[in-house]
Each structure stands twice: as structure tokens, then as C-alpha cells.
Amino acid sequence: MIRALTARRIATAAAYGGGGITALGGLTFGLLVVEAKLAKRIIQATPNGDPPAADRVYGPSLPGRPISFVMMGDSTAAGIGVLDPGETPAALLATGLSAIAARPVRLTTVARSGSRSEVLPDQVTEALRAGPDIVVIMIGANDVTARVSPADSVRHLDDAVRRLRDIGSEVVVGTCPDLGSVKPVMQPLRWVAQRASRQLAAAQTIAVVERGGRSVSLGDLLGGEFAAEPHEMFSADRYHPSARGYAAAAAALLPSMAAALELEPEEALEQARPAARRGEGVLPVYLAAAEAAEEPGTEVSATRVAGRELGPRGRWATLLRRRQLTQKTGPGDPAPATPGAT
């Protein structure tokens, strides 16, 4: 409940111009600064360079008009950490979406390494040139490490989703990852990073759903699962995901992309109904956002109850733990390549 109320306060501050709250509170700032500098030095010791270029048409031999898919956000969205273009999250999502839709998918990547939420207005302007049918945004980690006000971060995301929805584009946001999972980060900085990451992720969810987008929690995908196999899930810099890590993130995002474009097969539609046994259901959006921040791959989207979008505690939202819609592979295996990608 505390995280839910905190997320609502951050989202409210973003909407009305307040400063929000800071994640550090009264903790010893000097110690955290020293630890942060040490972690940064370790991370930067093995730089990855520029991400591989993955923009192309996937499934060009398939019939129909290509679906325009734009990837926005930071280095994780761009695919820093892998060398093969087909292993970037954007390429994996484009491949999977083409297979599900049985149509070509034209990928445009405007994500840039090092981006904070403040660059989203420029990325949206660039994205609009592609006439996107669907946009995926992965943002937030650099806001946390730079101690940007959560309200400021959410305000930029809110505006980006609004502009994209205004032109009819579907929007899926992979919320801020759990930075407490990064190996060079030590305690108590790890605890602070985790707390700040999840607070921002929950606040992002509220803003995204309020604007008609869908959010997908990436926190524990970069936390519990990554922490269990750090050498498999992280790249050489021990900060960005490896090919397996990106495949796990893509597997979490792809079902929500398919749902947004109404491409779910019948069996997936049945599975997508909220099930109480899985901890799913319809909740006020701020409560759904807090739940999602704790569970990997959880989608939050707007819904209606008795024909009404709003209840006594705000907008209604559906909390779903979607299953992967595509091939049956191992949890870290990338989606199979669509033949004929150019």
C-alpha cells in the first residue's frame, strides 16, 4: 500500500507540476555517492560501443502493408550489450510481431544510449515521421542513476504517450528496470536503487494507463531472474542485458504488443482473462501499478467496470500476467528469425 500511495503521489506531482519525492530520503548521501562512483568505474571498464543497427523490414515476403513499429528509449531499448542486430530487443520484437501478425513489420529505432526521460519529446518527434502503428518505450534507468525527480521523469513520459496516442498509435511501455540487480552495485546503494526503480516503475504505469497505453513490468526480469544467472543474463559490462536477457524482456513485451494490435490468437484471449489464482484482476490503477512493480512481465491496461472508466478510487485497470504468445522455447531463447528479413 505504501508503494501504491507513493506512486500515486509521484504521478499526481507529474500531472500538476509538483516536485514529487526523492528516493534517497535521509540516508547517508556521502556513502552512496562513493559507492555509485565505484560501480560506475567498474561498469565503464568494459564499454560496448554503439548498438548494432537492426532497422529493416522483417518478413518482407509476407502479404499486407507493413506494420510500422518504432522503438524508443535508452541503451536497453537500443540493444547495447549485444553484437548481432538480431539479438537486440527491437529486432526480437519485430520478428515475433511479424510471425504473430503474418505481415511484414518495418522497424524504426530512435532509442539512444544514455537517454533520460527528458529526451522523449525529441524521440517522439522522430518517431512520428515513421507513422507508427505501435511504439515500445523502455526508459527510466538513467533517470534513477542521475537522481532525476521522479515527477519530472513521469511528466515527460506522460507527454510522450499522449502525443503518440493522439495520432492513433498503440503504446507499450517497459517500465524502469530494477537497478538493484546490477552486480557492481553494493549495499546500501543496491537497496536504494531497487526502491527508487520500483517507485518510478509504478508511477510510470499510472501515467501510461491514464493516457491509454499499456505498461509491462521489467523490474524482476532484470532482478530475480538476472540475479540468479548474472553471467548468462548480463553482457560483458555487467550492466546491460545479454542476448538471453534481451530475449527475456522481449518475451514479456511481445504479448502486450499483440494485444494492443488485437492480434491475439483465440487461446491467448482465453488465457488473458484475469484469474484470481494468479493474483490478477481489476483494480484502481494506482494499486495495479504497485502490484505490477513487484512481478515480472505483468501488464497493466485501462478497463471499464459497469461501463465506467472511473471508480471511487480513480481509473480502473486490469492487471494481467500474460503468457508468451509465440514459439515454445526455453525462457532465455530468442524468437526464431522470420525468413527473408531484409
Side-chain angles (χ1 to χ4, degrees):
M1 178 60 75
I2 293 175
R3 178 165 288 125
L5 294 175
T6 299
R8 186 161 65 171
R9 287 176 58 194
I10 293 170
T12 300
Y16 294 101
I21 61 173
T22 61
L24 294 179
L27 292 175
T28 306
F29 182 67
L31 174 61
L32 299 180
V33 169
V34 171
E35 290 186 355
K37 288 181 178 179
L38 177 59
K40 186 176 182 180
R41 187 179 303 118
I42 295 172
I43 290 167
Q44 290 182 340
T46 52
N48 280 286
D50 295 329
D55 287 8
R56 57 182 66 103
V57 175
Y58 292 77
S61 62
L62 295 172
R65 178 185 67 83
I67 297 171
S68 178
F69 161 41
V70 177
M71 192 73 164
M72 291 174 48
D74 55 22
S75 57
T76 303
I80 288 286
V82 296
L83 300 177
D84 185 341
E87 294 176 338
T88 63
L92 292 171
L93 291 172
T95 298
L97 184 60
S98 177
I100 292 171
R103 284 173 56 188
V105 173
R106 184 182 302 278
L107 170 63
T108 303
T109 303
V110 302
R112 299 289 183 271
S113 180
S115 293
R116 302 173 189 167
S117 297
E118 64 187 14
V119 308
L120 289 178
D122 292 337
Q123 289 193 7
V124 170
T125 298
E126 191 175 351
L128 293 178
R129 300 190 187 108
D133 297 301
I134 187 164
V135 175
V136 171
I137 305 173
M138 298 170 69
I139 199 77
N142 293 317
D143 296 77
V144 173
T145 59
R147 299 186 65 238
V148 175
S149 162
D152 289 341
S153 299
V154 172
R155 188 178 303 116
H156 291 301
L157 179 61
D158 176 89
D159 183 64
V161 176
R162 176 189 60 78
R163 290 175 62 192
L164 293 166
R165 293 293 294 147
D166 282 349
I167 67 160
S169 175
E170 299 296 335
V171 181
V172 177
V173 175
T175 56
C176 182
D178 180 0
L179 294 178
S181 66
V182 177
K183 203 65 176 176
V185 178
M186 300 174 289
Q187 296 289 14
L189 182 59
R190 178 173 295 183
W191 178 84
V192 174
Q194 180 182 76
R195 179 171 176 262
S197 301
R198 294 188 180 187
Q199 283 182 355
L200 180 57
Q204 287 176 324
T205 291
I206 295 173
V208 169
V209 173
E210 290 280 359
R211 290 298 185 182
R214 296 168 186 258
S215 74
V216 178
S217 170
L218 300 181
D220 282 348
L221 290 175
L222 302 179
E225 190 174 337
F226 278 29
E229 298 182 277
H231 299 295
E232 294 290 333
M233 306 302 280
F234 282 105
S235 64
D237 66 7
R238 295 193 286 171
Y239 182 78
H240 294 96
S242 64
R244 274 194 65 187
Y246 281 130
L253 290 162
L254 183 58
S256 296
M257 294 175 67
L261 293 172
E262 299 182 346
L263 295 173
E264 294 174 291
E266 290 185 8
E267 62 270 21
L269 286 172
E270 181 65 28
Q271 291 176 348
R273 294 176 182 173
R277 68 181 183 279
R278 296 197 299 262
E280 302 172 337
V282 175
L283 298 167
V285 65
Y286 75 100
L287 292 178
E291 291 285 339
E294 301 290 337
E295 186 69 27
T298 302
E299 178 196 279
V300 181
S301 60
T303 192
R304 293 172 180 267
V305 174
R308 297 180 179 179
E309 294 181 350
L310 301 178
R313 291 192 287 176
R315 186 175 298 276
W316 291 114
T318 301
L319 184 75
L320 286 176
R321 293 174 174 88
R322 291 188 178 275
R323 290 176 171 80
Q324 190 173 350
L325 298 183
T326 53
Q327 70 292 333
K328 295 180 180 179
T329 61
D333 295 333
T338 302
T342 62

Tab-separated table of all heavy atoms in Angstrom, residues 49-91:
chain	number	residue	atom	x	y	z
A	49	GLY	N	30.361	0.078	-26.879
A	49	GLY	CA	30.279	0.830	-28.118
A	49	GLY	C	28.841	1.052	-28.541
A	49	GLY	O	27.913	0.980	-27.744
A	50	ASP	N	28.660	1.295	-29.840
A	50	ASP	CA	27.327	1.565	-30.369
A	50	ASP	C	26.533	0.268	-30.515
A	50	ASP	O	27.105	-0.800	-30.765
A	50	ASP	CB	27.433	2.250	-31.728
A	50	ASP	CG	28.065	3.630	-31.630
A	50	ASP	OD1	27.880	4.279	-30.577
A	50	ASP	OD2	28.730	4.043	-32.590
A	51	PRO	N	25.203	0.350	-30.388
A	51	PRO	CA	24.388	-0.854	-30.589
A	51	PRO	C	24.359	-1.235	-32.061
A	51	PRO	O	24.541	-0.381	-32.940
A	51	PRO	CB	23.004	-0.403	-30.103
A	51	PRO	CG	22.987	1.072	-30.327
A	51	PRO	CD	24.397	1.532	-30.051
A	52	PRO	N	24.140	-2.510	-32.369
A	52	PRO	CA	24.050	-2.923	-33.768
A	52	PRO	C	22.806	-2.351	-34.430
A	52	PRO	O	21.773	-2.169	-33.783
A	52	PRO	CB	23.983	-4.447	-33.686
A	52	PRO	CG	23.489	-4.741	-32.311
A	52	PRO	CD	23.991	-3.636	-31.433
A	53	ALA	N	22.914	-2.055	-35.710
A	53	ALA	CA	21.791	-1.482	-36.458
A	53	ALA	C	20.823	-2.588	-36.856
A	53	ALA	O	21.188	-3.517	-37.587
A	53	ALA	CB	22.303	-0.753	-37.694
A	54	ALA	N	19.592	-2.494	-36.382
A	54	ALA	CA	18.604	-3.548	-36.632
A	54	ALA	C	17.442	-3.075	-37.493
A	54	ALA	O	16.547	-3.871	-37.810
A	54	ALA	CB	18.073	-4.081	-35.300
A	55	ASP	N	17.421	-1.804	-37.877
A	55	ASP	CA	16.274	-1.271	-38.622
A	55	ASP	C	16.195	-1.894	-40.010
A	55	ASP	O	17.159	-1.834	-40.793
A	55	ASP	CB	16.390	0.253	-38.754
A	55	ASP	CG	16.106	0.975	-37.457
A	55	ASP	OD1	15.964	0.287	-36.427
A	55	ASP	OD2	16.049	2.214	-37.465
A	56	ARG	N	15.067	-2.488	-40.309
A	56	ARG	CA	14.812	-3.110	-41.611
A	56	ARG	C	13.362	-3.591	-41.620
A	56	ARG	O	12.644	-3.427	-40.638
A	56	ARG	CB	15.765	-4.280	-41.859
A	56	ARG	CG	15.703	-5.366	-40.793
A	56	ARG	CD	16.712	-6.464	-41.083
A	56	ARG	NE	18.057	-5.933	-40.972
A	56	ARG	CZ	18.853	-6.149	-39.941
A	56	ARG	NH1	18.428	-6.855	-38.910
A	56	ARG	NH2	20.052	-5.636	-39.903
A	57	VAL	N	12.967	-4.204	-42.708
A	57	VAL	CA	11.648	-4.828	-42.774
A	57	VAL	C	11.798	-6.304	-42.426
A	57	VAL	O	12.634	-7.002	-43.016
A	57	VAL	CB	11.015	-4.668	-44.172
A	57	VAL	CG1	9.695	-5.444	-44.241
A	57	VAL	CG2	10.770	-3.196	-44.486
A	58	TYR	N	11.015	-6.765	-41.474
A	58	TYR	CA	11.026	-8.161	-41.067
A	58	TYR	C	9.840	-8.874	-41.707
A	58	TYR	O	8.710	-8.389	-41.632
A	58	TYR	CB	10.969	-8.265	-39.536
A	58	TYR	CG	12.232	-7.769	-38.884
A	58	TYR	CD1	12.482	-6.394	-38.760
A	58	TYR	CD2	13.203	-8.655	-38.430
A	58	TYR	CE1	13.667	-5.931	-38.182
A	58	TYR	CE2	14.383	-8.196	-37.847
A	58	TYR	CZ	14.602	-6.833	-37.731
A	58	TYR	OH	15.766	-6.382	-37.179
A	59	GLY	N	10.119	-10.013	-42.332
A	59	GLY	CA	9.072	-10.737	-43.046
A	59	GLY	C	8.617	-10.049	-44.309
A	59	GLY	O	7.407	-9.947	-44.544
A	60	PRO	N	9.527	-9.568	-45.161
A	60	PRO	CA	9.132	-8.798	-46.340
A	60	PRO	C	8.337	-9.599	-47.360
A	60	PRO	O	7.624	-9.023	-48.180
A	60	PRO	CB	10.473	-8.337	-46.921
A	60	PRO	CG	11.456	-9.370	-46.459
A	60	PRO	CD	10.995	-9.760	-45.094
A	61	SER	N	8.464	-10.937	-47.329
A	61	SER	CA	7.730	-11.755	-48.291
A	61	SER	C	6.286	-12.007	-47.876
A	61	SER	O	5.499	-12.557	-48.649
A	61	SER	CB	8.446	-13.097	-48.477
A	61	SER	OG	8.484	-13.814	-47.248
A	62	LEU	N	5.931	-11.609	-46.667
A	62	LEU	CA	4.566	-11.814	-46.187
A	62	LEU	C	3.623	-10.803	-46.828
A	62	LEU	O	4.030	-9.693	-47.197
A	62	LEU	CB	4.517	-11.680	-44.660
A	62	LEU	CG	5.296	-12.754	-43.878
A	62	LEU	CD1	5.331	-12.402	-42.395
A	62	LEU	CD2	4.665	-14.131	-44.086
A	63	PRO	N	2.345	-11.151	-46.950
A	63	PRO	CA	1.395	-10.237	-47.590
A	63	PRO	C	0.968	-9.099	-46.673
A	63	PRO	O	1.109	-9.182	-45.446
A	63	PRO	CB	0.206	-11.147	-47.907
A	63	PRO	CG	0.256	-12.202	-46.832
A	63	PRO	CD	1.724	-12.433	-46.586
A	64	GLY	N	0.443	-8.037	-47.267
A	64	GLY	CA	-0.135	-6.944	-46.493
A	64	GLY	C	0.807	-5.780	-46.302
A	64	GLY	O	2.019	-5.861	-46.541
A	65	ARG	N	0.230	-4.663	-45.861
A	65	ARG	CA	1.010	-3.461	-45.577
A	65	ARG	C	1.876	-3.699	-44.351
A	65	ARG	O	1.413	-4.234	-43.348
A	65	ARG	CB	0.058	-2.290	-45.315
A	65	ARG	CG	0.763	-0.982	-44.946
A	65	ARG	CD	-0.249	0.103	-44.569
A	65	ARG	NE	-0.950	-0.205	-43.343
A	65	ARG	CZ	-0.496	0.039	-42.123
A	65	ARG	NH1	0.709	0.599	-41.959
A	65	ARG	NH2	-1.209	-0.260	-41.059
A	66	PRO	N	3.130	-3.289	-44.393
A	66	PRO	CA	3.987	-3.481	-43.216
A	66	PRO	C	3.454	-2.719	-42.001
A	66	PRO	O	2.997	-1.578	-42.108
A	66	PRO	CB	5.340	-2.908	-43.662
A	66	PRO	CG	5.321	-2.992	-45.143
A	66	PRO	CD	3.881	-2.753	-45.541
A	67	ILE	N	3.495	-3.370	-40.863
A	67	ILE	CA	3.188	-2.709	-39.599
A	67	ILE	C	4.374	-1.833	-39.247
A	67	ILE	O	5.524	-2.285	-39.262
A	67	ILE	CB	2.953	-3.746	-38.481
A	67	ILE	CG1	1.735	-4.615	-38.811
A	67	ILE	CG2	2.774	-3.050	-37.129
A	67	ILE	CD1	1.572	-5.806	-37.863
A	68	SER	N	4.124	-0.559	-38.955
A	68	SER	CA	5.204	0.355	-38.578
A	68	SER	C	5.411	0.284	-37.064
A	68	SER	O	4.537	0.650	-36.284
A	68	SER	CB	4.866	1.797	-38.984
A	68	SER	OG	5.897	2.676	-38.578
A	69	PHE	N	6.577	-0.205	-36.667
A	69	PHE	CA	6.928	-0.388	-35.260
A	69	PHE	C	8.135	0.475	-34.932
A	69	PHE	O	9.172	0.388	-35.591
A	69	PHE	CB	7.213	-1.865	-34.986
A	69	PHE	CG	7.997	-2.162	-33.737
A	69	PHE	CD1	7.749	-1.475	-32.548
A	69	PHE	CD2	8.971	-3.151	-33.731
A	69	PHE	CE1	8.464	-1.752	-31.395
A	69	PHE	CE2	9.696	-3.445	-32.592
A	69	PHE	CZ	9.450	-2.741	-31.417
A	70	VAL	N	8.012	1.324	-33.919
A	70	VAL	CA	9.097	2.213	-33.514
A	70	VAL	C	9.541	1.868	-32.096
A	70	VAL	O	8.710	1.687	-31.201
A	70	VAL	CB	8.674	3.692	-33.581
A	70	VAL	CG1	9.797	4.599	-33.070
A	70	VAL	CG2	8.307	4.081	-35.009
A	71	MET	N	10.852	1.783	-31.916
A	71	MET	CA	11.438	1.512	-30.600
A	71	MET	C	12.030	2.797	-30.049
A	71	MET	O	12.893	3.425	-30.687
A	71	MET	CB	12.528	0.450	-30.715
A	71	MET	CG	12.987	-0.102	-29.380
A	71	MET	SD	11.721	-1.185	-28.677
A	71	MET	CE	12.668	-2.046	-27.412
A	72	MET	N	11.588	3.206	-28.861
A	72	MET	CA	12.066	4.420	-28.221
A	72	MET	C	12.698	4.087	-26.870
A	72	MET	O	12.407	3.061	-26.275
A	72	MET	CB	10.902	5.405	-27.988
A	72	MET	CG	10.320	6.015	-29.232
A	72	MET	SD	8.851	7.034	-28.871
A	72	MET	CE	9.425	8.060	-27.497
A	73	GLY	N	13.559	5.013	-26.389
A	73	GLY	CA	14.067	4.852	-25.034
A	73	GLY	C	15.568	4.998	-24.930
A	73	GLY	O	16.184	5.801	-25.626
A	74	ASP	N	16.160	4.187	-24.035
A	74	ASP	CA	17.563	4.332	-23.673
A	74	ASP	C	18.417	3.213	-24.256
A	74	ASP	O	18.041	2.572	-25.247
A	74	ASP	CB	17.695	4.414	-22.155
A	74	ASP	CG	17.045	3.217	-21.450
A	74	ASP	OD1	16.874	2.155	-22.095
A	74	ASP	OD2	16.708	3.339	-20.260
A	75	SER	N	19.574	2.951	-23.652
A	75	SER	CA	20.506	1.961	-24.184
A	75	SER	C	19.923	0.560	-24.195
A	75	SER	O	20.256	-0.256	-25.074
A	75	SER	CB	21.799	1.970	-23.363
A	75	SER	OG	21.532	1.729	-21.990
A	76	THR	N	19.049	0.255	-23.229
A	76	THR	CA	18.431	-1.055	-23.211
A	76	THR	C	17.493	-1.221	-24.397
A	76	THR	O	17.441	-2.283	-25.026
A	76	THR	CB	17.669	-1.272	-21.894
A	76	THR	OG1	18.567	-1.114	-20.797
A	76	THR	CG2	17.070	-2.661	-21.829
A	77	ALA	N	16.749	-0.187	-24.730
A	77	ALA	CA	15.884	-0.227	-25.907
A	77	ALA	C	16.699	-0.306	-27.186
A	77	ALA	O	16.297	-0.958	-28.162
A	77	ALA	CB	14.989	1.004	-25.935
A	78	ALA	N	17.871	0.344	-27.197
A	78	ALA	CA	18.719	0.361	-28.387
A	78	ALA	C	19.450	-0.959	-28.592
A	78	ALA	O	19.834	-1.286	-29.716
A	78	ALA	CB	19.729	1.508	-28.286
A	79	GLY	N	19.662	-1.718	-27.510
A	79	GLY	CA	20.321	-3.011	-27.637
A	79	GLY	C	21.797	-3.017	-27.300
A	79	GLY	O	22.527	-3.910	-27.743
A	80	ILE	N	22.253	-2.058	-26.490
A	80	ILE	CA	23.648	-2.069	-26.045
A	80	ILE	C	23.909	-3.370	-25.269
A	80	ILE	O	23.131	-3.751	-24.403
A	80	ILE	CB	23.938	-0.857	-25.139
A	80	ILE	CG1	23.975	0.428	-25.956
A	80	ILE	CG2	25.246	-1.042	-24.392
A	80	ILE	CD1	25.224	0.592	-26.808
A	81	GLY	N	25.025	-4.026	-25.591
A	81	GLY	CA	25.376	-5.260	-24.891
A	81	GLY	C	25.426	-6.473	-25.793
A	81	GLY	O	25.962	-7.510	-25.407
A	82	VAL	N	24.858	-6.382	-27.010
A	82	VAL	CA	24.928	-7.474	-27.968
A	82	VAL	C	25.570	-6.961	-29.256
A	82	VAL	O	25.578	-5.757	-29.528
A	82	VAL	CB	23.538	-8.070	-28.269
A	82	VAL	CG1	22.954	-8.705	-27.015
A	82	VAL	CG2	22.581	-7.019	-28.817
A	83	LEU	N	26.088	-7.878	-30.058
A	83	LEU	CA	26.764	-7.521	-31.296
A	83	LEU	C	25.938	-7.855	-32.537
A	83	LEU	O	26.092	-7.235	-33.578
A	83	LEU	CB	28.119	-8.237	-31.377
A	83	LEU	CG	29.112	-7.920	-30.259
A	83	LEU	CD1	30.376	-8.762	-30.423
A	83	LEU	CD2	29.444	-6.438	-30.238
A	84	ASP	N	25.078	-8.845	-32.426
A	84	ASP	CA	24.245	-9.285	-33.549
A	84	ASP	C	22.962	-8.452	-33.585
A	84	ASP	O	22.234	-8.398	-32.594
A	84	ASP	CB	23.900	-10.763	-33.373
A	84	ASP	CG	23.132	-11.342	-34.551
A	84	ASP	OD1	22.552	-10.569	-35.335
A	84	ASP	OD2	23.111	-12.581	-34.677
A	85	PRO	N	22.653	-7.789	-34.708
A	85	PRO	CA	21.411	-7.000	-34.778
A	85	PRO	C	20.165	-7.805	-34.434
A	85	PRO	O	19.215	-7.271	-33.853
A	85	PRO	CB	21.385	-6.533	-36.245
A	85	PRO	CG	22.802	-6.539	-36.678
A	85	PRO	CD	23.438	-7.696	-35.951
A	86	GLY	N	20.176	-9.094	-34.774
A	86	GLY	CA	19.010	-9.924	-34.492
A	86	GLY	C	18.795	-10.207	-33.029
A	86	GLY	O	17.738	-10.721	-32.645
A	87	GLU	N	19.787	-9.879	-32.171
A	87	GLU	CA	19.655	-10.116	-30.739
A	87	GLU	C	19.199	-8.887	-29.971
A	87	GLU	O	19.010	-8.965	-28.757
A	87	GLU	CB	20.993	-10.607	-30.179
A	87	GLU	CG	21.396	-11.978	-30.705
A	87	GLU	CD	22.762	-12.424	-30.214
A	87	GLU	OE1	23.576	-11.547	-29.815
A	87	GLU	OE2	23.026	-13.642	-30.223
A	88	THR	N	19.030	-7.756	-30.649
A	88	THR	CA	18.515	-6.565	-29.971
A	88	THR	C	17.045	-6.772	-29.632
A	88	THR	O	16.337	-7.516	-30.317
A	88	THR	CB	18.664	-5.326	-30.859
A	88	THR	OG1	17.863	-5.491	-32.042
A	88	THR	CG2	20.108	-5.084	-31.252
A	89	PRO	N	16.548	-6.113	-28.584
A	89	PRO	CA	15.131	-6.299	-28.235
A	89	PRO	C	14.191	-5.847	-29.343
A	89	PRO	O	13.156	-6.473	-29.568
A	89	PRO	CB	14.964	-5.460	-26.962
A	89	PRO	CG	16.097	-4.493	-26.980
A	89	PRO	CD	17.234	-5.209	-27.653
A	90	ALA	N	14.562	-4.785	-30.064
A	90	ALA	CA	13.703	-4.298	-31.137
A	90	ALA	C	13.568	-5.336	-32.246
A	90	ALA	O	12.478	-5.567	-32.782
A	90	ALA	CB	14.252	-2.987	-31.692
A	91	ALA	N	14.693	-5.964	-32.614
A	91	ALA	CA	14.656	-6.984	-33.659
A	91	ALA	C	13.859	-8.202	-33.213
A	91	ALA	O	13.080	-8.774	-33.987
A	91	ALA	CB	16.073	-7.393	-34.040
